Amino acid sequence: QVQLVESGGGLVQAGGSLRLSCAASGSIFSINAMGWYRQAPGKQRELVAAITSGGSTNYADSVKGRFTISRDNAKNTVYLQMNSLKPEDTAVYYCNAEVVAGTVYDYWGQGTQVTVSS
């Protein structure tokens, strides 16, 4: 069993910054890609940013230049540094990890609320 625990969400004014963290624990041999998704009320969940085990990254166009994803493989942890936040970034942010444990499993965190006030 694998758990993903997120932290770092909260309320911030437009233009501010937040840093999200997601730590994976449990029966983990290795982790392939890790990523952050978000879901705003009434909208579908969307990819925000992802990072491979080798450090390659990709971002949604809406966050390029403002958000940075990184990971610490030794700690099985992924981070999302969010700068220049906008009200439209308000959403529940979910961590995702492709965990190798015999086969590859897809795990999700419980979600953390990010609210950006104007």
Side-chain angles (χ1 to χ4, degrees):
Q1 188 71 349
V2 173
Q3 297 81 39
L4 300 182
V5 178
E6 300 147 342
S7 60
L11 173 65
V12 65
Q13 288 189 332
S17 299
L18 284 174
R19 188 189 193 215
L20 305 183
S21 299
C22 172
S25 63
S27 301
I28 299 170
F29 176 72
S30 65
I31 301 177
N32 293 337
M34 301 185 79
W36 289 95
Y37 291 72
R38 67 186 181 188
Q39 187 167 20
K43 295 188 176 181
Q44 290 188 331
R45 189 174 298 190
E46 63 176 0
L47 174 69
V48 176
I51 184 168
T52 68
S53 57
S56 297
T57 59
N58 70 288
Y59 296 90
D61 287 343
S62 59
V63 306
K64 283 180 181 177
R66 300 188 298 121
F67 290 11
T68 302
I69 190 170
S70 60
R71 65 189 281 175
D72 184 332
N73 291 331
K75 296 181 179 180
N76 291 328
T77 299
V78 63
Y79 307 95
L80 185 68
Q81 178 66 44
M82 304 185 293
N83 299 328
S84 302
L85 282 160
K86 304 175 181 180
E88 51 263 44
D89 294 318
T90 295
V92 177
Y93 284 69
Y94 296 92
C95 173
N96 173 266
E98 294 177 358
V99 177
V100 180
T103 185
V104 179
Y105 298 93
D106 206 34
Y107 286 95
W108 292 89
Q110 79 284 0
T112 185
Q113 177 71 46
V114 171
T115 302
V116 184
S117 63
S118 57

